[in-house]
Amino acid sequence: MELEAVIKARIQERFDILEELYTIWFTVNSSYIVPKKRLYPDAHIEKQRAITYLLDKGLIAADPVENEPEMVAVRITVDGIDFFEQGRLEGKGNGWSIVTEHLDG
């Protein structure tokens, strides 16, 4: 796979995670409660790196769950919501173009 395709796939992975958390935010529970091992799956390094990237950019947050040391509450942040909505309102359906334009701007 050529590098451009790999980059687009990685950006799409991050966008898909944001979209899932965006949808969850507007339900009864604003966070996705998940085992830590599922948030950082050993077998899927690309997903680990995507989640780390989104955390580092401040587009998502992961907080420990009280009395549940093996669980984490993952949610989209207000910056993540703004980023996701802005891209959608501009009519850009594929995540990689939204992300690359955000990074360039």
Side-chain angles (χ1 to χ4, degrees):
M1 188 182 300
E2 69 180 67
L3 184 56
E4 184 177 324
V6 171
I7 291 169
K8 288 178 181 180
R10 288 176 177 155
I11 293 169
Q12 186 64 52
E13 175 80 29
R14 295 191 300 261
F15 188 81
D16 291 345
I17 293 167
L18 269 183
E19 184 174 24
E20 182 179 353
L21 293 173
Y22 177 86
T23 301
I24 290 168
W25 175 264
F26 291 100
T27 63
V28 176
N29 297 316
S30 59
S31 294
Y32 180 50
I33 309 297
V34 62
K36 287 180 187 177
K37 287 186 177 206
R38 186 155 175 229
L39 180 63
Y40 297 108
D42 292 336
H44 198 313
I45 192 71
E46 291 289 335
K47 186 158 192 150
Q48 279 184 24
R49 300 254 165 87
I51 290 168
T52 299
Y53 174 89
L54 293 169
L55 287 166
D56 289 348
K57 290 290 283 184
L59 299 176
I60 67 172
D63 303 305
V65 176
E66 193 173 330
N67 300 321
E68 296 284 343
E70 295 303 314
M71 302 297 277
V72 64
V74 184
R75 63 181 169 76
I76 192 169
T77 64
V78 293
D79 288 337
I81 291 170
D82 291 345
F83 174 76
F84 181 81
E85 289 177 342
Q86 178 184 355
R88 287 299 169 138
L89 290 177
E90 291 173 358
K92 299 176 179 99
N94 54 358
W96 67 268
S97 68
I98 294 169
V99 174
T100 55
E101 287 184 21
H102 176 72
L103 294 175
D104 291 341

